[in-house]
Amino acid sequence: MSNSKIRVAIIYGGASGEHSISIATAGAVMRALDPERYEVVPIAITRDGTWVPGATDPSKLTLDAGLLEVEKAPEAVTIPAGDGKQSLVAYNREHASNLELLGNVDVVFPLLHGPFGEDGTIQGLLELAGIPYVGCGVFASAAGMDKHYMKVVLEAAGLPVAPYVVATARQWRDEREAVLAKVAQLQFPVYVKPARAGSSLGITRVSTLEDVSEAVAQAQIHDPKVLIEQGVDGREIECAVLGGRNDSTPRASVVGEVLVDLPDDGFYDFEHKYLETANLRLSIPAQVPPEISDKIRDQAVKTFDAFGCEGMSRVDFFLTPEGKTYVIEINTIPGFTPFSMYPVLWEHTGLPYSQLLDELIGLALERPTGLR
């Protein structure tokens, strides 16, 4: 790369329910990258999965005017398989012979949330293309996205999780009574969640067994596989983890807490995270005893290592009044606007937003693709 700028392909949008959040995140990252150091190549993905040229003006990628949408375009973009030196290709979808080479890129920064972006699919494509990319690899992304297998990995690593029941589409269709019998053994309230969705999409808090079926139907709008998890009476504490340079130990941020005024039967859902944020604030560092902070930071790094994560992840915990911790989940592509928990945690740990981006790109560039 000598003295030339680092070409960074930023990919955003996508086919998941977190489409708009991904767009806003891309705008934030584009504004923060040093133009003297980086050349940004934006690639957008429509809701139907078509890759199109992205917006070059990041001011158009904000949530100020409401939810955002990647518009369809006659021109499509693709990343061919190869050794990482091949050019990106743009072409007219109706006249495939009209090809334009966009040049190669040094690194890809996928800012996609949910299925077909955070779940190992695009990571696998980039591995086939031989192009370095920011964040976790195929397995960590896939296992971290699926709340079922996330629990399996956490339990195998000896990390504490809340009791749960999984219902696949087939089990819910053919063995519903058996699934409900297992759910009846949990302590209510329970939370019914799509297994492979993020940003609290499709989650319902359920107080009685009779209401579980309707909650499952709501969750299945987002994913046919559903997880029913026993509620935990505790505070939500989060910790950001950053990979270590030259294969050194991962680094944990200070811990933070999400504080939001909710009705007694409410929870921290999509609307409170992104739209109705007036009563939401972050307490960083979280007001917990030093020994609890140390335990959470240690468990966050152990979670990162259990999944074989790379680059970045945010690990979320419940902290009970008795001081017991439960791992809620790991987020391999956490929210990444300047006001999202992951970068704000690092800001309070001494790593500002723009420098965090530099560090993540640096980690991606020092890591080879393929088996490692």
Side-chain angles (χ1 to χ4, degrees):
M1 287 175 284
S2 64
N3 294 321
S4 62
K5 294 182 182 180
I6 299 171
R7 294 196 89 211
V8 183
I10 292 180
I11 305 180
Y12 65 88
S16 83
E18 298 171 87
H19 181 91
S20 294
I21 305 307
S22 171
I23 297 172
T25 302
V29 170
M30 289 169 65
R31 286 190 292 275
L33 287 175
D34 181 359
E36 297 297 317
R37 186 174 183 183
Y38 303 105
E39 178 186 352
V40 173
V41 181
I43 301 173
I45 304 178
T46 65
R47 286 189 184 273
D48 68 2
T50 303
W51 292 37
V52 299
T56 56
D57 181 359
S59 67
K60 297 180 179 179
L61 307 180
T62 70
L63 284 173
D64 296 342
L67 296 180
L68 299 166
E69 185 91 14
V70 172
E71 297 181 359
K72 294 184 179 180
E75 190 178 42
V77 176
T78 188
I79 299 178
D83 62 0
K85 299 176 183 177
Q86 69 277 19
S87 175
L88 277 62
V89 178
Y91 61 94
N92 187 293
R93 298 174 65 193
E94 296 182 358
H95 307 284
S97 60
N98 297 340
L99 301 179
E100 179 185 357
L101 299 182
L102 302 178
N104 67 315
V105 295
D106 298 302
V107 62
V108 172
F109 203 140
L111 292 168
L112 301 162
H113 301 296
F116 312 112
E118 194 174 353
D119 60 355
T121 49
I122 193 167
Q123 290 78 14
L125 183 152
L126 295 170
E127 292 285 352
L128 290 172
I131 301 175
Y133 55 95
V134 171
C136 295
V138 175
F139 172 79
S141 299
M145 186 71 225
D146 189 315
K147 293 179 177 64
H148 171 200
Y149 291 105
M150 180 192 301
K151 297 273 193 183
V152 171
V153 173
L154 290 169
E155 289 175 308
L159 290 157
V161 300
Y164 66 97
V165 173
V166 173
T168 65
R170 182 195 62 77
Q171 289 170 331
W172 187 247
R173 183 182 63 248
D174 300 337
E175 305 168 17
R176 184 171 305 189
E177 292 306 315
V179 171
L180 290 172
K182 292 179 182 179
V183 174
Q185 302 303 308
L186 302 176
Q187 295 180 14
F188 282 75
V190 298
Y191 289 84
V192 181
K193 307 177 179 183
R196 295 160 291 194
S199 291
S200 300
L201 289 167
I203 297 181
T204 305
R205 182 181 188 272
V206 177
S207 299
T208 67
L209 187 63
E210 290 72 25
D211 292 330
V212 169
S213 293
E214 175 59 28
V216 169
Q218 291 300 314
Q220 286 183 327
I221 294 172
H222 301 276
D223 187 348
K225 182 162 76 166
V226 173
L227 183 133
I228 301 105
E229 184 177 54
Q230 181 172 301
V232 175
D233 179 19
R235 299 157 63 186
E236 183 170 331
I237 309 293
E238 303 183 355
C239 183
V241 184
L242 184 63
R245 284 297 190 105
N246 300 312
D247 207 29
S248 59
T249 304
R251 297 159 280 179
S253 72
V254 299
V255 300
E257 181 176 9
V258 178
L259 299 174
V260 57
D261 294 330
L262 296 170
D264 291 341
D265 61 347
F267 64 97
Y268 186 39
D269 58 8
F270 180 90
E271 283 71 22
H272 288 97
K273 283 184 177 180
Y274 298 112
L275 302 177
E276 299 173 9
T277 59
N279 296 323
L280 185 156
R281 63 187 178 89
L282 306 181
S283 175
I284 303 174
Q287 299 303 299
V288 298
E291 63 272 16
I292 294 294
S293 174
D294 290 344
K295 179 170 75 167
I296 289 173
R297 295 174 73 241
D298 178 65
Q299 290 184 341
V301 170
K302 287 179 177 176
T303 300
F304 190 90
D305 282 339
F307 285 84
C309 291
E310 297 162 298
M312 62 178 171
S313 289
R314 193 192 74 236
V315 186
D316 301 343
F317 296 83
F318 280 130
L319 173 64
T320 71
E322 300 75 31
K324 184 173 179 58
T325 55
Y326 293 91
V327 181
I328 305 172
E329 63 181 1
I330 185 170
N331 297 271
T332 55
I333 303 184
F336 214 90
T337 72
F339 311 106
S340 299
M341 182 62 99
Y342 185 89
V344 173
L345 284 170
W346 280 113
E347 182 88 31
H348 283 76
T349 310
L351 193 61
Y353 190 72
S354 60
Q355 292 180 28
L356 177 60
L357 293 173
D358 292 340
E359 185 68 9
L360 286 167
I361 291 171
L363 285 167
L365 288 170
E366 77 174 28
R367 181 184 86 201
T369 54
L371 296 177
R372 51 189 181 273

